[in-house]
Amino acid sequence: MARMMVRVLSTALAGAALTAAAVPAANAAGPGSRGGRLDAKVQERADKLVADGAPGVIVMTRRGGRVSHVTSGVSDKATGAPMDARLLVRVASVTKTFTSTVVLQLAAEHRLSLDDTVDEWLPGLVEANGNDGSKITIRQLLAQTSGLNDYTPDPRVMTDPSRTWTPAELIAIATEKPPLYKPGTSWNYSNTNYILAGMIIEKATGHEVGEEFQRRIFTPLGLRHTYYPTTDPAFPGPYVHGYYADYGDVSTLISPSSARTSGGIVSTVDDVARFHRALFTGRLLPAKQMREMRTVRPVNDDGVVEDYGLGAARIRFSCGHAWGHDGGFPGYRTWTYTSRDGNRQAIITYNESRYEHDETFRADLAKAADTAFCA
């Protein structure tokens, strides 16, 4: 689910990005311990990804109460600052799990129903060129079965990367094309669905989405390094610099307004892991809504084979299944995996977008993920 606009960028991306102070490298467990042996295996996989071309890699692992961080390469090619697990990254479409969680919480509070149509909340917004919001349910938005086109491939979105986009403008781009299929009859990954879900959250609560994220998730879970920017491309603290092929450092050149509730969150590997562990072990949603989230269908999304539910996916590994979501934003790529009982976790992030379809890199990434989650 590379998802967020990892496509052709215009030459408007040329220029210098803002810089942040480097943070000292985090320590890992010593090699003599059982955990240290796991770290050594993960380190080997992370180093291979850097050898393949990624500037830097972070891998967070959990085994029960033991959490470890392995890093390789650099967070900033200009300064040579080492990668550090405490730095901020754009987690991109991992945001979708946050958005889905808030929608499901609202359903549990009877403030909306998953069977409500888009038109009931956003009348007339989805109606052009055969698109019909009266036929699309909130459940279908979260499950990616609405049939709506994705707005992100449209060249207008990326030829002016610093432009501030409104949600309605992004929906208008998506509905310039007819739907891909009748709602509920097939599946396609579309960021449009989660922009609409965010707009519905605001209608149902009367608050901005960022307020709901903060009140319902960030604050209760103590996610002190997780932010939801909507228009400002700057980072609120030290960050990993993200690179996109010949465009170089694109860290602060793209407005998050083109991502929003489909992919706008900035966080750290530890905060993402804390959120996923709380979610998938039942701390954020009642049992009924967890069953809704875990109702999946098999999908192949651009080579990623998984079972997709409502803003979360089930992924098969050599040792069993993991739950999570991945995300890509120009310069950033994050993969998240959490066991159902929360005892195993792996978060992998790196800071280069050019390798989305590189067969060697993707094969080594798959080995790294299985090692980090299963070894």
Side-chain angles (χ1 to χ4, degrees):
M1 304 166 203
R3 328 299 207 203
M4 283 308 306
M5 303 171 293
V6 185
R7 293 182 169 88
V8 178
L9 294 177
S10 76
T11 54
L13 284 177
L18 299 177
T19 60
V23 178
N27 294 321
S33 67
R34 180 179 178 183
R37 291 194 294 273
L38 169 62
D39 293 342
K41 293 178 181 179
V42 175
Q43 186 72 60
E44 182 180 355
R45 296 299 189 191
D47 290 345
K48 184 63 171 67
L49 294 177
V50 171
D52 288 343
V57 176
I58 301 169
V59 186
M60 172 269 181
T61 60
R62 173 184 290 278
R63 296 294 186 272
R66 181 185 184 278
V67 173
S68 183
H69 305 89
V70 163
T71 62
S72 186
V74 299
S75 63
D76 184 348
K77 293 199 292 186
T79 66
M83 186 61 93
D84 188 286
R86 292 167 289 185
L87 295 174
L88 296 170
V89 298
R90 299 193 190 279
V91 299
S93 285
V94 176
T95 302
K96 289 180 173 63
T97 312
F98 288 82
T99 301
S100 180
T101 297
V102 173
V103 172
L104 289 165
Q105 287 178 343
L106 292 171
E109 296 163 11
H110 305 290
R111 299 174 73 173
L112 56 76
S113 167
L114 297 184
D115 295 319
D116 290 346
T117 67
V118 172
D119 245 20
E120 289 178 62
W121 289 98
L122 306 169
L125 183 64
V126 179
E127 63 178 6
N129 301 304
N131 297 283
D132 188 349
S134 71
K135 306 294 186 186
I136 299 170
T137 66
I138 295 175
R139 179 183 283 103
Q140 289 164 348
L141 295 179
L142 301 183
Q144 305 277 21
T145 61
S146 70
L148 293 170
N149 283 273
D150 189 2
Y151 64 86
T152 60
D154 191 281
R156 287 169 290 183
V157 177
M158 294 314 300
T159 52
D160 187 6
S162 63
R163 171 178 167 170
T164 295
W165 293 89
T166 69
E169 287 173 331
L170 300 175
I171 301 306
I173 288 175
T175 56
E176 287 176 357
K177 297 179 180 179
L180 297 172
Y181 48 82
K182 181 180 176 181
T185 63
S186 190
W187 188 93
N188 69 294
Y189 193 90
S190 177
N191 292 287
T192 307
N193 292 321
Y194 276 77
I195 295 295
L196 287 166
M199 296 174 78
I200 290 170
I201 288 171
E202 294 189 339
K203 276 295 188 81
T205 64
H207 302 141
E208 294 184 357
V209 171
E211 295 178 40
E212 293 299 315
F213 281 156
Q214 191 70 50
R215 184 175 69 85
R216 294 171 175 271
I217 300 176
F218 300 172
T219 297
L221 296 183
L223 307 186
R224 295 182 295 109
H225 306 290
T226 302
Y227 308 91
Y228 176 67
T230 55
T231 60
D232 187 354
F235 285 81
Y239 62 93
V240 171
H241 288 249
Y243 301 89
Y244 192 1
D246 294 338
Y247 296 107
D249 188 342
V250 298
S251 309
T252 58
L253 302 184
I254 301 168
S255 170
S257 65
S258 58
R260 296 186 181 264
T261 44
S262 71
I265 284 178
V266 168
S267 190
T268 63
V269 292
D270 282 342
D271 271 15
V272 168
R274 188 176 298 115
F275 164 59
H276 280 189
R277 194 172 193 226
L279 173 62
F280 296 124
T281 58
R283 288 176 54 195
L284 294 178
L285 293 173
K288 178 180 178 181
Q289 280 67 42
M290 281 305 304
R291 286 194 298 271
E292 294 277 13
M293 177 173 274
R294 288 190 169 124
T295 300
V296 298
R297 64 184 296 155
V299 304
N300 186 327
D301 178 40
D302 202 20
V304 178
V305 177
E306 61 193 12
D307 301 318
Y308 201 85
L310 302 187
R314 184 176 64 189
I315 306 97
R316 180 180 294 277
F317 283 107
S318 63
C319 59
H321 286 102
W323 288 89
H325 207 292
D326 62 287
F329 192 95
Y332 300 90
R333 195 74 164 91
T334 299
W335 305 79
T336 70
Y337 310 107
T338 298
S339 63
R340 187 161 182 160
D341 63 6
N343 286 329
R344 284 180 181 264
Q345 287 190 290
I347 311 290
I348 301 175
T349 191
Y350 49 91
N351 54 340
E352 172 60 74
S353 295
R354 74 166 77 211
Y355 298 110
E356 284 305 308
H357 301 289
D358 183 283
E359 292 184 4
T360 298
F361 188 89
R362 291 299 291 264
D364 288 337
L365 176 64
K367 293 175 184 177
D370 195 81
T371 299
F373 187 71
C374 292

